[in-house]
Amino acid sequence: MSGRRLAGEARSQAIVQSALGLFAREGFDGTTTRQLARAAGVSEALLFKHFPNKQALYRAILESKIREAESALPLDETLDRLEDEEFFLKIATHIMRRVDADDAFCRLMIRSALDGHELALQFHHARAGRLLTRIARRLKDRYRRLGIRDGLNPALAARLFNGMILSSMMQRRFFNDEVIMRTPIDPLARAVVRVFLQGTGAPGRRS
């Protein structure tokens, strides 16, 4: 691979990173190519050389974040081999740490959903939907192993678990909730998993 190609890929990635924050703040329609070029420190002509339009740049952000998510938490048999609590804790901790480290993509997803842009739906189908399916499958298996016949619909329960995680992080990052903010990520993730699996009673007992 030539140095020129490496430099070009590095420039594309730099444009993607700068565009992420700008789109998160201004939305797709509210962001101009001039603003995108200025944020990346390039000319509009160079911006168009890497990305022919805003839609292509938006899609590059999506693909970049999917690759990052797949690398950080592969949805494979390694996850399936974990015990129930470890399985849910790994997922909760992964999502919380990523949002806590950089909430720009989370903000972009919310902005895209509010604007009716297809990016949010694309990410759901490409990553979030697969994760929810994996969680629902684990819950169905858990019901079978524990002899639970009246358990909540696994698909619904999976979404409620995901909602608990995202709500916690929205309170932390967007609303500066004091209780959530003074709780480190690992204990916060454990608390979410405990409430989801056991309720709010004493550990090891179903409330």
Side-chain angles (χ1 to χ4, degrees), residues 13 25 41 57 82 100 113 131 151 202:
Q13 189 57 36
R25 292 194 304 272
L57 182 50
L82 298 175
D100 200 48
L131 180 59

Side-chain angles (χ1 to χ4, degrees), residues 42-118:
V42 300
S43 66
E44 284 190 80
L46 185 56
L47 177 72
F48 288 131
K49 181 179 179 180
H50 288 274
F51 302 100
N53 49 51
K54 288 196 301 180
Q55 189 69 30
L57 182 50
Y58 224 50
R59 182 172 295 280
I61 292 174
L62 172 67
E63 293 172 349
S64 174
K65 288 303 177 180
I66 290 175
R67 286 195 301 271
E68 288 180 13
E70 293 288 354
S71 176
L73 183 67
L75 301 180
D76 57 19
E77 65 278 0
T78 302
L79 193 61
D80 291 333
R81 287 197 292 266
L82 298 175
E83 297 294 330
D84 286 347
E85 185 171 344
E86 292 178 298
F87 173 90
F88 289 102
L89 184 59
K90 189 173 184 66
I91 292 172
T93 304
H94 162 75
I95 296 174
M96 288 180 169
R97 284 178 178 169
R98 286 179 66 83
V99 175
D100 200 48
D102 182 7
D103 63 17
F105 189 63
C106 183
R107 292 177 183 272
L108 181 59
M109 288 292 97
I110 294 172
R111 167 75 73 169
S112 297
L114 291 174
D115 290 347
H117 195 277
E118 63 181 5

Side-chain angles (χ1 to χ4, degrees), residues 15 21 161 193:
I15 293 173
F161 175 63
V193 172

Side-chain angles (χ1 to χ4, degrees), residues 167-196:
S167 176
S168 297
M169 295 314 297
M170 288 182 67
Q171 292 178 67
R172 185 185 187 90
R173 299 294 302 187
F174 301 165
F175 301 110
N176 300 321
D177 183 278
E178 293 183 4
V179 175
I180 298 292
M181 289 181 66
R182 66 171 177 255
T183 305
I185 289 296
D186 287 358
L188 182 60
R190 288 187 181 279
V192 166
V193 172
R194 173 183 158 182
V195 170
F196 180 72

